[in-house]
Structures are given as C-alpha cells and as structure tokens.
Amino acid sequence: VKPTYDEDARMLDGYQIMQACFDYHLAHNPLVFAIGEDVGKIGDVNQGFAGLQEKHGELRVGDTGIRENTIVGQGYGAALRGLRPIVEIQYLDYLLYAIQIMSDDIATLQWRTRGGQKAPLIIRTRGHRLEGIWHSGSPMGMILHSIRGMHVCVPRNMTQAAGMYNTLLQSDEPALLVECLNGYRIKEKMPSNMGTYTVPLGVAEVLQTGSDITIVSYGSTLRVVQEAMAMLEEENIHCELIDVQTLLPFDTTHVICESIK
C-alpha cells in the first residue's frame, strides 16, 4: 500500500512523521506499547514519541533504566504473551549489549518451536550516520550474522520507516528497525494514510534508472550516493540507484541482478 498525499500536504520534520505513526498505532491498537531510555517523559532523544506519554499514559509510553539487555528482555516477554511492544535501543552501537538475547532467543524462537511460539517484538534504534569511530556507528556485519531469523529494516527516511512499522505491526515476526540518525530534522511530506500504508519486506526499490552504473545502497548512505550521482550526471555518467530497504531478507525479487544485466 503506497503512501498517499493531499494536495495541501504539510512538509514536516522527519521526527514528526514518526510521532504521527506511533500516535496512530497507540490510538488504534491497545496491545501496542513503547519503552526505552528517555522514551517516556521527553519522548525519546529525537522526539519520535514527544507528547505521547502525556496523551496515552505511562503504561503505554514509558522510560526504562540504562540496560539494553533488560529493555529487550521486557519486550520479548511481553511479545510472547500477545502484546505488541516497540522497544528502543537509543543508539545502534549499544545493540551490542542486547545481541545475546536477540541471537539466542528472539531470532530462533519460531524455528525452535516449529511456529508453536511467536514473539513479534519490534526493536527500534537509530544510527548508521557513517561516523562510527566516534559514535552511532554501523556494526551491521555483527548484526546480520547474529540475528538471522529477524527482519532487519534500514529505511532511507522516516516516511519509509513508518511504512515498515505499519507492515511489521500486521506481522507476527520479530524485527530490528534502524532509523537514520541524521534524518529527524529533514523535511518530508506528511502522508494522508498514515498508519495504513506499508512497505514490503525483502523488496528492493529502484529510485532512479540509469544505463552505466548500478549503485546499491540503504539508510543514511543513500543521500550521499544521490549527491555523488548528481556530480556524475554532469560527466554524462548515468547511475541506477537501488535502495535495498531491508538487509534481512535481502532483495528476494532479484532487482539488483536485473539491474546489473
């Protein structure tokens, strides 16, 4: 389901797109709740939940201690019991402290029990701004090889992120969603069907066609690629840009292969 837009759709900061997405699901699904460091009172460090604790209550939008493993553990237990938790790891670097429970429990549960048990936990985080030697890096190799059995979503902007949350909340499978840390203050158009449009998982999207070079990207790197492509166009080099959108599963319809052909 594609996002739709009114003629007078407002251009808002990316964090406001996330606010609208989470507000919709908290209002329409009593099983949804969110917890994490600074998620409650201040609405998370990038304001995706700003004002939502006051609106929906402390049981629906709450703060936790600074312990990533127990944050994910609380979400896992709640998901096993039929709730729809969204738990936040404040920055992608610190997923390391929760990787054991994700790898050994969450990613394997459905497979170990032949589908008999399910825990549709959504782990929300942010990072991947290409400055990982200082902070908020991109330990994707560690993540991908550790949590096969979970979806790994890497949206290029907050509109795509919201569509992925919409998809995941219709699913009964666990996922990690990595938002672009440098995208919360970038303007995006507010969809009119917020909460109901979806992004398919495992399906890459061709953002621009070209005849010379295939470039495959995702997340924060995509804007860097687009800037480089504009420079190459001036040299009469035409690039095809593909956003993989999810790293697990990865390009299940072979979009990249067709582009290279």
Side-chain angles (χ1 to χ4, degrees):
V1 179
K2 296 285 187 181
T4 57
Y5 298 94
D6 297 330
E7 287 187 16
D8 59 347
R10 293 178 298 160
M11 293 293 291
L12 300 173
D13 287 337
Y15 77 88
Q16 294 173 294
I17 303 290
M18 298 315 308
Q19 276 179 348
C21 173
F22 296 135
D23 188 26
Y24 176 92
H25 290 293
L26 287 163
H28 287 81
N29 188 344
L31 299 176
V32 171
F33 72 93
I35 57 171
E37 298 163 14
D38 296 317
V39 167
K41 186 173 181 180
I42 70 169
D44 96 43
V45 288
N46 293 100
Q47 298 295 281
F49 281 97
L52 298 186
Q53 183 183 77
E54 185 176 1
K55 182 175 181 179
H56 297 284
E58 292 184 7
L59 290 177
R60 303 291 303 285
V61 183
D63 291 308
T64 66
I66 308 175
R67 285 292 180 271
E68 287 77 14
N69 203 1
T70 65
I71 294 169
V72 172
Q74 290 174 69
Y76 182 42
L80 274 167
R81 287 155 178 80
L83 298 177
R84 298 305 309 245
I86 300 170
V87 303
E88 181 169 312
I89 302 300
Q90 193 165 102
Y91 295 109
L92 183 61
D93 313 55
Y94 302 103
L95 193 74
L96 175 67
Y97 299 106
I99 206 79
Q100 181 270 326
I101 190 173
M102 294 169 65
S103 176
D104 193 47
D105 288 291
I106 300 168
T108 64
L109 178 70
Q110 288 197 58
W111 309 95
R112 283 188 285 116
T113 64
R114 297 176 65 191
Q117 286 184 291
K118 299 185 179 186
L121 172 64
I122 299 174
I123 299 173
R124 177 192 188 218
T125 189
R126 61 191 61 84
H128 186 58
R129 68 176 181 185
L130 310 181
E131 296 177 11
I133 198 168
W134 296 286
H135 201 299
S136 307
S138 182
M140 287 296 181
M142 173 193 71
I143 293 167
L144 289 175
H145 291 289
S146 299
I147 61 170
R148 293 190 178 277
M150 295 181 68
H151 297 294
V152 177
C153 303
V154 282
R156 64 182 178 268
N157 57 36
M158 300 307 160
T159 301
Q160 292 298 102
M164 291 175 182
Y165 284 113
N166 297 341
T167 300
L168 292 167
L169 284 166
Q170 296 178 35
S171 168
D172 58 4
E173 298 174 359
L176 170 70
L177 197 148
V178 184
E179 296 168 16
C180 298
L181 183 58
N182 55 7
Y184 294 106
R185 297 289 177 176
I186 294 176
K187 298 292 184 183
E188 299 182 32
K189 193 182 291 187
M190 174 66 80
S192 57
N193 58 341
M194 177 58 71
T196 58
Y197 72 90
T198 52
V199 174
L201 306 182
V203 179
E205 182 178 1
V206 179
L207 298 183
Q208 182 173 321
T209 58
S211 55
D212 295 320
I213 301 173
T214 293
I215 304 179
V216 181
S217 188
Y218 67 90
S220 297
T221 56
L222 214 102
R223 285 192 293 274
V224 179
V225 170
Q226 288 171 322
E227 292 171 4
M229 286 172 60
M231 297 166 66
L232 290 170
E233 282 287 337
E234 296 176 2
E235 304 296 330
N236 202 33
I237 298 172
H238 308 291
C239 300
E240 184 146 295
L241 177 58
I242 298 172
D243 179 6
V244 294
Q245 303 202 95
T246 61
L247 297 178
L248 287 177
F250 185 85
D251 188 19
T252 58
T253 59
H254 311 297
V255 171
I256 297 167
C257 182
E258 291 304 314
S259 174
I260 292 169
K261 285 181 183 178

